[in-house]
């Protein structure tokens, strides 16, 4: 009986990880062929399709969105990002017309995190070139001691293509 309870506990304790992995796998697996190439893995940090909406006319900044999953046992931090197309790359939250600029983004173990318009996301400003729908550009994600991960960002109206 004790062994059966232990097996149930192990199954339940892994449930969040399995669910998160299933969600990310499903999301990546249901992207068009071109987008599937835009998934990345760095020491158990999974990054799905990164995308940016085209900036409005005259706007000198662009947001970057996409899913991230930390499959490790401990929390990690996304401590920075950089891009050759921008003078400055920061994390941004824009809520109720108020912007704030967090220093990092916490990635809890086995909990999917989405860089999104309504929560933390990457903001590139001082664009060195015009960015329009159909373009792609690189952003390097800095996970501190876990390392850096270059990802290709697709400029599109929505992640659904």
């Amino acid at each position: 009986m004790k062994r059966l309870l232990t097996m149930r506990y192990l199954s339940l304790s892994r449930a969040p990880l399995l669910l998160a992995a299933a969600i990310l796998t499903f999301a990546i697996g249901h992207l068009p062929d071109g987008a599937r190439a835009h998934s990345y893995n760095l020491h158990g940090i999974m990054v799905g399709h990164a995308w940016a909406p085209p900036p409005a006319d005259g706007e000198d900044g662009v947001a970057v969105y996409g899913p991230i999953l930390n499959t490790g046992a401990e929390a990690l931090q996304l401590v920075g990002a950089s891009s050759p197309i921008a003078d400055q790359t920061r994390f941004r939250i824009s809520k109720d017309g108020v912007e704030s600029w967090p220093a990092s983004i916490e990635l809890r173990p086995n909990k999917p995190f989405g860089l999104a318009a309504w929560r933390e996301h990457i903001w590139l400003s001082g664009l060195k070139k015009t960015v329009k729908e159909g373009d792609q550009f690189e952003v390097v994600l800095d996970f501190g001691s876990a390392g850096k991960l270059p990802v290709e960002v697709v400029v599109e109206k929505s992640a659904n293509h």
Side-chain angles (χ1 to χ4, degrees):
M1 180 71 165
K2 187 174 183 176
R3 183 173 182 205
L4 180 59
L5 290 174
T6 302
M7 288 175 58
R8 281 190 184 160
Y9 173 76
L10 288 175
S11 295
L12 290 175
S13 67
R14 292 183 184 200
L17 173 60
L18 295 173
L19 178 61
I23 290 169
L24 192 59
T25 300
F26 177 81
I28 292 170
H30 284 80
L31 293 172
D33 289 337
R36 282 192 195 126
H38 299 286
S39 59
Y40 308 87
N41 189 337
L42 173 70
H43 309 297
I45 303 167
M46 298 169 63
V47 178
H49 177 66
W51 68 282
D57 288 339
E59 190 169 4
D60 186 35
V62 65
V64 175
Y65 308 129
I68 303 174
L69 175 63
N70 168 15
T71 64
E74 297 183 18
L76 295 172
Q77 297 286 319
L78 179 57
V79 297
S82 61
S83 178
I85 71 156
D87 287 331
Q88 188 172 35
T89 305
R90 303 186 285 172
F91 302 124
R92 174 182 150 183
I93 300 173
S94 182
K95 186 173 183 178
D96 299 326
V98 177
E99 292 179 348
S100 59
W101 306 92
S104 62
I105 297 173
E106 182 178 8
L107 303 170
R108 297 187 333 210
N110 306 312
K111 302 235 185 235
F113 182 89
L115 298 168
W118 60 88
R119 65 178 315 164
E120 296 95 333
H121 55 270
I122 298 169
W123 183 256
L124 282 67
S125 58
L127 299 178
K128 298 176 183 178
K129 69 177 207 162
T130 302
V131 176
K132 61 187 183 317
E133 189 171 0
D135 288 347
Q136 294 186 18
F137 58 88
E138 183 180 77
V139 169
V140 178
L141 303 176
D142 184 351
F143 295 99
S145 62
K148 294 182 179 183
L149 180 64
V151 300
E152 282 297 313
V153 178
V154 177
V155 180
E156 55 194 353
K157 291 183 181 175
S158 75
N160 298 331
H161 304 276

